[in-house]
Amino acid sequence: MSKDYYNILGVDKGASPDDIKKAFRKKAHEFHPDKPHGDEAKFKEINEAYQVLGDANKRAQYDRFGSNFEQAQGAGGFNGFEGFRDFSGFAQGFNGQNGVEFDLNDLGDMFGGMFGFGGGGRSKRQSRGQDLEMTLTIEFEEAIFGLERELQLKRLKACDRCHGNGAEPGAKIETCSTCHGTGRVTRVQRTILGNIQTQTACSACRGEGKIPSKKCSKCDGLGVTKEVDKLSVKIPAGIDDGQTIRLTGQGEAGPHGAPAGDLYLRIRVVPSKKFTREGDNIISKIEITMVQAALGDKVPVLTVDGEVTLKIPDGTQSGKVFILRERGVPKLNGRGRGDHLVTVVVKTPTGLNRQQRKLLEELGL
């Protein structure tokens, strides 16, 4: 089935090349698999769309043949996401002449700098610790007023024996003899298209360029160990269900002393049986009698701050909403609080005896 590449990138058919490029960059950043809420399937689809619409010739064929375009591309070996990720499609085009060498890593660095993937981008991304994500369940009132909670999580931490450098205490840190300190090894492969030169991370030093004369006996030279750790976290007043708190540097430690990743704490708020929340406002209902509604009264109302007195004026109708100012949710990252909205429900009496019925009939209520 033919795909609507314009719709995938969110542009119209008359979009300029610059508009298509901008749309691709925005979508690529949004759905990149390395992001906490990325979508690899969507990212592949976006890359596929850009490879077609970003190329004038392919775009013209797509616009002309429509649903037949994919079949036409199949004969030419269109490789979608995988071809874009490792840049093999670009290499075939540039290495068409015998004897011409082309470094695939150059393209990786170029695209990696823009979007965080590719040869150079991959190396930088791996040097940082992994991000972690966990869910914290709290009560309705805790979300209103905030709290401090101690979390227990299992994560990679910097090795306390070698302090993250991977070397046994007292051992020397030496230049890797395999890559001569570059962190990468170069390989040249001869093909019918010519010599293709590639660079990969050095397996001896794991891309660091340095290697200890003796590895740490506790972490085996990795610089990190898996540990169960405790972390005290402050949850701000006014947090809402589904919101996420980012704790910078509280993810897993990076290898060989590299920076730690982040911890994303997703908040789940247990619904209240007494109140409903709408933004910064709190909603509740109270029942009053026909007499209270007709003559007026002072009634107790439960709020998150405790019980307060609400004055009911005479002639109040069922469904009337009273506003208790500044009795709602504290405004997150702001000043003041929302309001508490109280809906009055006039309760109609049932099971009246003869005398009660007669009195109501006499009153004409």
Side-chain angles (χ1 to χ4, degrees), residues 8-301:
I8 291 172
L9 292 182
V11 297
D12 56 41
K13 291 188 176 181
S16 67
D18 286 341
D19 290 337
I20 291 174
K21 183 182 294 185
K22 289 178 182 178
F24 167 67
R25 289 180 177 178
K26 182 179 178 181
K27 295 279 187 180
H29 278 294
E30 181 179 356
F31 293 102
H32 195 281
D34 284 348
K35 291 185 175 293
H37 305 292
D39 187 328
E40 183 171 348
K42 185 70 175 177
F43 187 67
K44 291 179 180 179
E45 192 175 48
I46 292 166
N47 282 324
E48 180 180 329
Y50 182 66
Q51 287 194 56
V52 174
L53 300 185
D55 183 287
N57 293 330
K58 291 180 180 178
R59 181 180 179 183
Q61 293 177 33
Y62 174 73
D63 290 339
R64 181 178 179 184
F65 297 108
S67 60
N68 294 325
F69 174 75
E70 288 180 322
Q71 297 177 3
Q73 286 294 332
F78 182 70
N79 198 24
F81 174 72
E82 293 300 325
F84 188 86
R85 182 167 60 188
D86 62 20
F87 305 102
S88 59
F90 290 98
Q92 292 176 3
F94 282 99
N95 288 290
Q97 297 178 355
N98 292 333
V100 178
E101 294 185 357
F102 184 78
D103 188 352
L104 294 179
N105 192 67
D106 292 342
L107 281 174
D109 288 339
M110 179 177 70
F111 284 90
M114 292 168 58
F115 305 111
F117 59 88
R122 184 182 299 113
S123 176
K124 294 178 182 178
R125 190 171 65 243
Q126 288 178 343
S127 66
R128 179 177 177 271
Q130 291 291 321
D131 292 336
L132 296 177
E133 183 175 355
M134 67 180 299
T135 299
L136 176 64
T137 300
I138 61 177
E139 298 298 324
F140 185 87
E141 287 76 11
E142 291 177 325
I144 302 299
F145 297 109
L147 73 153
E148 187 168 342
R149 180 69 60 85
E150 186 174 80
L151 307 178
Q152 183 170 299
L153 61 157
K154 192 174 184 180
R155 58 181 175 175
L156 291 177
K157 294 197 68 178
C159 177
D160 56 10
R161 179 171 178 81
C162 65
H163 304 290
N165 67 6
E168 186 72 10
K172 294 181 179 180
I173 304 295
E174 303 171 341
T175 300
C176 177
S177 59
T178 301
C179 64
H180 305 291
T182 64
R184 296 180 176 182
V185 290
T186 301
R187 293 183 177 86
V188 178
Q189 181 179 3
R190 294 185 178 277
T191 71
I192 59 174
L193 301 174
N195 294 337
I196 298 179
Q197 177 177 302
T198 62
Q199 285 189 347
T200 59
C202 176
S203 59
C205 64
R206 300 185 179 93
E208 295 296 320
K210 297 180 180 180
I211 193 167
S213 59
K214 185 178 182 181
K215 294 181 179 179
C216 174
S217 58
K218 183 174 182 179
C219 67
D220 194 31
L222 295 176
V224 292
T225 55
K226 199 80 169 181
E227 298 180 18
V228 176
D229 198 20
K230 292 183 178 180
L231 176 66
S232 182
V233 178
K234 288 185 177 181
I235 308 300
I239 195 77
D240 204 355
D241 182 65
Q243 291 185 322
T244 300
I245 300 173
R246 177 184 178 184
L247 302 173
T248 304
Q250 295 299 333
E252 293 195 328
H256 305 289
D262 300 331
L263 172 62
Y264 290 85
L265 193 61
R266 183 179 295 277
I267 302 299
R268 179 183 177 273
V269 180
V270 178
S272 171
K273 296 180 180 179
K274 304 171 184 177
F275 310 111
T276 301
R277 177 174 175 175
E278 292 184 1
D280 293 329
N281 294 330
I282 293 177
I283 314 296
S284 69
K285 294 181 179 180
I286 60 168
E287 287 187 347
I288 61 174
T289 66
M290 290 177 60
V291 175
Q292 289 175 311
L295 303 180
D297 198 1
K298 291 182 179 180
V299 298
V301 174

Side-chain angles (χ1 to χ4, degrees), residues 274-277 281-286 301-303 320-322 324 340-345:
K274 304 171 184 177
F275 310 111
T276 301
R277 177 174 175 175
N281 294 330
I282 293 177
I283 314 296
S284 69
K285 294 181 179 180
I286 60 168
V301 174
L302 185 63
T303 72
K320 171 70 176 178
V321 178
F322 293 90
L324 302 177
H340 187 142
L341 309 181
V342 183
T343 301
V344 171
V345 178

